[in-house]
PDB file of all heavy atoms in Angstrom:
ATOM      1  N   ARG A 343      -1.305  -0.151 -75.432  1.00 87.00           N
ATOM      2  CA  ARG A 343      -0.348   0.887 -75.785  1.00 87.00           C
ATOM      3  C   ARG A 343       1.015   0.514 -75.233  1.00 87.00           C
ATOM      4  O   ARG A 343       1.146   0.192 -74.054  1.00 87.00           O
ATOM      5  CB  ARG A 343      -0.796   2.244 -75.238  1.00 87.00           C
ATOM      6  CG  ARG A 343       0.066   3.414 -75.702  1.00 87.00           C
ATOM      7  CD  ARG A 343      -0.461   4.745 -75.199  1.00 87.00           C
ATOM      8  NE  ARG A 343      -0.409   4.853 -73.757  1.00 87.00           N
ATOM      9  CZ  ARG A 343      -1.451   4.755 -72.953  1.00 87.00           C
ATOM     10  NH1 ARG A 343      -2.650   4.539 -73.477  1.00 87.00           N
ATOM     11  NH2 ARG A 343      -1.327   4.854 -71.641  1.00 87.00           N
ATOM     12  N   THR A 344       2.024   0.549 -76.081  1.00 91.00           N
ATOM     13  CA  THR A 344       3.379   0.174 -75.669  1.00 91.00           C
ATOM     14  C   THR A 344       3.958   1.225 -74.722  1.00 91.00           C
ATOM     15  O   THR A 344       3.909   2.422 -75.014  1.00 91.00           O
ATOM     16  CB  THR A 344       4.293   0.042 -76.887  1.00 91.00           C
ATOM     17  OG1 THR A 344       3.751  -0.926 -77.776  1.00 91.00           O
ATOM     18  CG2 THR A 344       5.690  -0.392 -76.470  1.00 91.00           C
ATOM     19  N   PRO A 345       4.515   0.813 -73.578  1.00 93.00           N
ATOM     20  CA  PRO A 345       5.119   1.773 -72.651  1.00 93.00           C
ATOM     21  C   PRO A 345       6.314   2.485 -73.276  1.00 93.00           C
ATOM     22  O   PRO A 345       6.993   1.936 -74.152  1.00 93.00           O
ATOM     23  CB  PRO A 345       5.568   0.894 -71.473  1.00 93.00           C
ATOM     24  CG  PRO A 345       4.759  -0.348 -71.586  1.00 93.00           C
ATOM     25  CD  PRO A 345       4.529  -0.562 -73.051  1.00 93.00           C
ATOM     26  N   SER A 346       6.566   3.682 -72.824  1.00 95.00           N
ATOM     27  CA  SER A 346       7.709   4.466 -73.305  1.00 95.00           C
ATOM     28  C   SER A 346       8.854   4.383 -72.307  1.00 95.00           C
ATOM     29  O   SER A 346       8.637   4.302 -71.102  1.00 95.00           O
ATOM     30  CB  SER A 346       7.314   5.936 -73.493  1.00 95.00           C
ATOM     31  OG  SER A 346       6.271   6.063 -74.437  1.00 95.00           O
ATOM     32  N   ASN A 347      10.071   4.408 -72.834  1.00 97.00           N
ATOM     33  CA  ASN A 347      11.264   4.550 -71.997  1.00 97.00           C
ATOM     34  C   ASN A 347      11.620   6.031 -71.924  1.00 97.00           C
ATOM     35  O   ASN A 347      11.381   6.781 -72.878  1.00 97.00           O
ATOM     36  CB  ASN A 347      12.429   3.754 -72.568  1.00 97.00           C
ATOM     37  CG  ASN A 347      12.156   2.266 -72.587  1.00 97.00           C
ATOM     38  OD1 ASN A 347      11.521   1.734 -71.675  1.00 97.00           O
ATOM     39  ND2 ASN A 347      12.621   1.580 -73.615  1.00 97.00           N
ATOM     40  N   LEU A 348      12.209   6.461 -70.815  1.00 97.00           N
ATOM     41  CA  LEU A 348      12.574   7.868 -70.646  1.00 97.00           C
ATOM     42  C   LEU A 348      14.075   8.013 -70.447  1.00 97.00           C
ATOM     43  O   LEU A 348      14.682   7.254 -69.689  1.00 97.00           O
ATOM     44  CB  LEU A 348      11.859   8.463 -69.427  1.00 97.00           C
ATOM     45  CG  LEU A 348      10.342   8.629 -69.506  1.00 97.00           C
ATOM     46  CD1 LEU A 348       9.823   9.256 -68.221  1.00 97.00           C
ATOM     47  CD2 LEU A 348       9.952   9.474 -70.697  1.00 97.00           C
ATOM     48  N   GLN A 349      14.658   8.975 -71.145  1.00 97.00           N
ATOM     49  CA  GLN A 349      16.070   9.321 -70.954  1.00 97.00           C
ATOM     50  C   GLN A 349      16.103  10.736 -70.392  1.00 97.00           C
ATOM     51  O   GLN A 349      15.699  11.693 -71.048  1.00 97.00           O
ATOM     52  CB  GLN A 349      16.837   9.241 -72.272  1.00 97.00           C
ATOM     53  CG  GLN A 349      18.330   9.490 -72.123  1.00 97.00           C
ATOM     54  CD  GLN A 349      19.085   9.232 -73.419  1.00 97.00           C
ATOM     55  OE1 GLN A 349      18.573   8.604 -74.337  1.00 97.00           O
ATOM     56  NE2 GLN A 349      20.299   9.729 -73.500  1.00 97.00           N
ATOM     57  N   LEU A 350      16.555  10.874 -69.156  1.00 97.00           N
ATOM     58  CA  LEU A 350      16.535  12.155 -68.462  1.00 97.00           C
ATOM     59  C   LEU A 350      17.756  13.004 -68.787  1.00 97.00           C
ATOM     60  O   LEU A 350      18.721  12.528 -69.399  1.00 97.00           O
ATOM     61  CB  LEU A 350      16.465  11.928 -66.944  1.00 97.00           C
ATOM     62  CG  LEU A 350      15.350  11.022 -66.427  1.00 97.00           C
ATOM     63  CD1 LEU A 350      15.381  10.990 -64.898  1.00 97.00           C
ATOM     64  CD2 LEU A 350      13.994  11.470 -66.925  1.00 97.00           C
ATOM     65  N   CYS A 351      17.717  14.265 -68.337  1.00 96.00           N
ATOM     66  CA  CYS A 351      18.878  15.150 -68.443  1.00 96.00           C
ATOM     67  C   CYS A 351      19.861  14.914 -67.305  1.00 96.00           C
ATOM     68  O   CYS A 351      20.991  15.414 -67.339  1.00 96.00           O
ATOM     69  CB  CYS A 351      18.430  16.618 -68.412  1.00 96.00           C
ATOM     70  SG  CYS A 351      17.319  17.080 -69.744  1.00 96.00           S
ATOM     71  N   ILE A 352      19.438  14.172 -66.288  1.00 97.00           N
ATOM     72  CA  ILE A 352      20.268  13.951 -65.094  1.00 97.00           C
ATOM     73  C   ILE A 352      21.533  13.170 -65.459  1.00 97.00           C
ATOM     74  O   ILE A 352      21.480  12.159 -66.158  1.00 97.00           O
ATOM     75  CB  ILE A 352      19.472  13.180 -64.025  1.00 97.00           C
ATOM     76  CG1 ILE A 352      18.287  14.013 -63.540  1.00 97.00           C
ATOM     77  CG2 ILE A 352      20.373  12.773 -62.865  1.00 97.00           C
ATOM     78  CD1 ILE A 352      18.672  15.254 -62.794  1.00 97.00           C
ATOM     79  N   ASP A 353      22.678  13.663 -64.980  1.00 97.00           N
ATOM     80  CA  ASP A 353      23.943  12.952 -65.140  1.00 97.00           C
ATOM     81  C   ASP A 353      24.171  12.129 -63.874  1.00 97.00           C
ATOM     82  O   ASP A 353      24.313  12.681 -62.780  1.00 97.00           O
ATOM     83  CB  ASP A 353      25.078  13.952 -65.340  1.00 97.00           C
ATOM     84  CG  ASP A 353      26.418  13.267 -65.576  1.00 97.00           C
ATOM     85  OD1 ASP A 353      26.986  12.749 -64.593  1.00 97.00           O
ATOM     86  OD2 ASP A 353      26.877  13.244 -66.725  1.00 97.00           O
ATOM     87  N   ALA A 354      24.196  10.807 -64.006  1.00 97.00           N
ATOM     88  CA  ALA A 354      24.245   9.927 -62.839  1.00 97.00           C
ATOM     89  C   ALA A 354      25.496  10.159 -61.994  1.00 97.00           C
ATOM     90  O   ALA A 354      25.424  10.160 -60.756  1.00 97.00           O
ATOM     91  CB  ALA A 354      24.170   8.467 -63.283  1.00 97.00           C
ATOM     92  N   THR A 355      26.642  10.372 -62.643  1.00 97.00           N
ATOM     93  CA  THR A 355      27.888  10.575 -61.901  1.00 97.00           C
ATOM     94  C   THR A 355      27.840  11.873 -61.095  1.00 97.00           C
ATOM     95  O   THR A 355      28.163  11.894 -59.896  1.00 97.00           O
ATOM     96  CB  THR A 355      29.085  10.609 -62.857  1.00 97.00           C
ATOM     97  OG1 THR A 355      29.150   9.369 -63.581  1.00 97.00           O
ATOM     98  CG2 THR A 355      30.379  10.809 -62.095  1.00 97.00           C
ATOM     99  N   LEU A 356      27.421  12.945 -61.747  1.00 97.00           N
ATOM    100  CA  LEU A 356      27.315  14.228 -61.049  1.00 97.00           C
ATOM    101  C   LEU A 356      26.239  14.164 -59.963  1.00 97.00           C
ATOM    102  O   LEU A 356      26.410  14.721 -58.874  1.00 97.00           O
ATOM    103  CB  LEU A 356      26.998  15.341 -62.051  1.00 97.00           C
ATOM    104  CG  LEU A 356      26.895  16.753 -61.478  1.00 97.00           C
ATOM    105  CD1 LEU A 356      28.210  17.166 -60.847  1.00 97.00           C
ATOM    106  CD2 LEU A 356      26.479  17.746 -62.555  1.00 97.00           C
ATOM    107  N   GLN A 357      25.144  13.468 -60.255  1.00 98.00           N
ATOM    108  CA  GLN A 357      24.068  13.344 -59.271  1.00 98.00           C
ATOM    109  C   GLN A 357      24.574  12.678 -57.990  1.00 98.00           C
ATOM    110  O   GLN A 357      24.256  13.110 -56.874  1.00 98.00           O
ATOM    111  CB  GLN A 357      22.910  12.533 -59.869  1.00 98.00           C
ATOM    112  CG  GLN A 357      21.726  12.325 -58.937  1.00 98.00           C
ATOM    113  CD  GLN A 357      20.934  13.584 -58.694  1.00 98.00           C
ATOM    114  OE1 GLN A 357      20.976  14.523 -59.475  1.00 98.00           O
ATOM    115  NE2 GLN A 357      20.185  13.620 -57.599  1.00 98.00           N
ATOM    116  N   THR A 358      25.401  11.661 -58.143  1.00 97.00           N
ATOM    117  CA  THR A 358      25.964  10.978 -56.966  1.00 97.00           C
ATOM    118  C   THR A 358      26.828  11.928 -56.151  1.00 97.00           C
ATOM    119  O   THR A 358      26.730  11.983 -54.919  1.00 97.00           O
ATOM    120  CB  THR A 358      26.789   9.759 -57.406  1.00 97.00           C
ATOM    121  OG1 THR A 358      25.962   8.858 -58.151  1.00 97.00           O
ATOM    122  CG2 THR A 358      27.367   9.035 -56.208  1.00 97.00           C
ATOM    123  N   LEU A 359      27.668  12.695 -56.838  1.00 98.00           N
ATOM    124  CA  LEU A 359      28.555  13.636 -56.138  1.00 98.00           C
ATOM    125  C   LEU A 359      27.765  14.715 -55.413  1.00 98.00           C
ATOM    126  O   LEU A 359      28.067  15.066 -54.267  1.00 98.00           O
ATOM    127  CB  LEU A 359      29.525  14.268 -57.135  1.00 98.00           C
ATOM    128  CG  LEU A 359      30.534  13.325 -57.800  1.00 98.00           C
ATOM    129  CD1 LEU A 359      31.325  14.061 -58.876  1.00 98.00           C
ATOM    130  CD2 LEU A 359      31.476  12.735 -56.759  1.00 98.00           C
ATOM    131  N   VAL A 360      26.755  15.254 -56.061  1.00 98.00           N
ATOM    132  CA  VAL A 360      25.957  16.311 -55.441  1.00 98.00           C
ATOM    133  C   VAL A 360      25.188  15.758 -54.240  1.00 98.00           C
ATOM    134  O   VAL A 360      25.075  16.415 -53.197  1.00 98.00           O
ATOM    135  CB  VAL A 360      24.999  16.945 -56.473  1.00 98.00           C
ATOM    136  CG1 VAL A 360      24.074  17.955 -55.796  1.00 98.00           C
ATOM    137  CG2 VAL A 360      25.786  17.625 -57.579  1.00 98.00           C
ATOM    138  N   GLU A 361      24.652  14.543 -54.366  1.00 98.00           N
ATOM    139  CA  GLU A 361      23.954  13.937 -53.233  1.00 98.00           C
ATOM    140  C   GLU A 361      24.894  13.718 -52.054  1.00 98.00           C
ATOM    141  O   GLU A 361      24.511  13.909 -50.896  1.00 98.00           O
ATOM    142  CB  GLU A 361      23.306  12.613 -53.651  1.00 98.00           C
ATOM    143  CG  GLU A 361      22.092  12.795 -54.554  1.00 98.00           C
ATOM    144  CD  GLU A 361      21.327  11.506 -54.777  1.00 98.00           C
ATOM    145  OE1 GLU A 361      21.606  10.506 -54.088  1.00 98.00           O
ATOM    146  OE2 GLU A 361      20.429  11.497 -55.656  1.00 98.00           O
ATOM    147  N   GLN A 362      26.127  13.347 -52.335  1.00 97.00           N
ATOM    148  CA  GLN A 362      27.106  13.186 -51.262  1.00 97.00           C
ATOM    149  C   GLN A 362      27.378  14.522 -50.569  1.00 97.00           C
ATOM    150  O   GLN A 362      27.501  14.592 -49.340  1.00 97.00           O
ATOM    151  CB  GLN A 362      28.405  12.603 -51.825  1.00 97.00           C
ATOM    152  CG  GLN A 362      28.290  11.149 -52.266  1.00 97.00           C
ATOM    153  CD  GLN A 362      29.522  10.663 -52.992  1.00 97.00           C
ATOM    154  OE1 GLN A 362      30.384  11.450 -53.395  1.00 97.00           O
ATOM    155  NE2 GLN A 362      29.615   9.353 -53.199  1.00 97.00           N
ATOM    156  N   GLU A 363      27.451  15.596 -51.358  1.00 97.00           N
ATOM    157  CA  GLU A 363      27.737  16.922 -50.791  1.00 97.00           C
ATOM    158  C   GLU A 363      26.576  17.425 -49.929  1.00 97.00           C
ATOM    159  O   GLU A 363      26.796  17.961 -48.839  1.00 97.00           O
ATOM    160  CB  GLU A 363      28.022  17.916 -51.914  1.00 97.00           C
ATOM    161  CG  GLU A 363      29.357  17.705 -52.608  1.00 97.00           C
ATOM    162  CD  GLU A 363      30.532  17.866 -51.650  1.00 97.00           C
ATOM    163  OE1 GLU A 363      30.475  18.754 -50.769  1.00 97.00           O
ATOM    164  OE2 GLU A 363      31.498  17.097 -51.771  1.00 97.00           O
ATOM    165  N   VAL A 364      25.333  17.281 -50.419  1.00 97.00           N
ATOM    166  CA  VAL A 364      24.204  17.781 -49.622  1.00 97.00           C
ATOM    167  C   VAL A 364      24.035  16.951 -48.358  1.00 97.00           C
ATOM    168  O   VAL A 364      23.636  17.471 -47.305  1.00 97.00           O
ATOM    169  CB  VAL A 364      22.900  17.821 -50.441  1.00 97.00           C
ATOM    170  CG1 VAL A 364      23.030  18.766 -51.629  1.00 97.00           C
ATOM    171  CG2 VAL A 364      22.458  16.437 -50.887  1.00 97.00           C
ATOM    172  N   THR A 365      24.343  15.655 -48.438  1.00 97.00           N
ATOM    173  CA  THR A 365      24.271  14.810 -47.240  1.00 97.00           C
ATOM    174  C   THR A 365      25.302  15.239 -46.214  1.00 97.00           C
ATOM    175  O   THR A 365      25.002  15.377 -45.021  1.00 97.00           O
ATOM    176  CB  THR A 365      24.492  13.331 -47.616  1.00 97.00           C
ATOM    177  OG1 THR A 365      23.486  12.919 -48.537  1.00 97.00           O
ATOM    178  CG2 THR A 365      24.449  12.441 -46.387  1.00 97.00           C
ATOM    179  N   THR A 366      26.530  15.471 -46.683  1.00 97.00           N
ATOM    180  CA  THR A 366      27.600  15.922 -45.784  1.00 97.00           C
ATOM    181  C   THR A 366      27.251  17.265 -45.149  1.00 97.00           C
ATOM    182  O   THR A 366      27.429  17.459 -43.938  1.00 97.00           O
ATOM    183  CB  THR A 366      28.924  16.029 -46.554  1.00 97.00           C
ATOM    184  OG1 THR A 366      29.256  14.757 -47.110  1.00 97.00           O
ATOM    185  CG2 THR A 366      30.045  16.490 -45.652  1.00 97.00           C
TER     186      THR A 366
END
Side-chain angles (χ1 to χ4, degrees):
R343 187 177 64 255
T344 302
S346 300
N347 297 324
L348 292 181
Q349 184 173 344
L350 307 184
C351 300
I352 296 294
D353 183 285
T355 301
L356 182 61
Q357 180 71 22
T358 301
L359 295 174
V360 175
E361 288 189 10
Q362 290 172 347
E363 288 298 322
V364 298
T365 300
T366 301

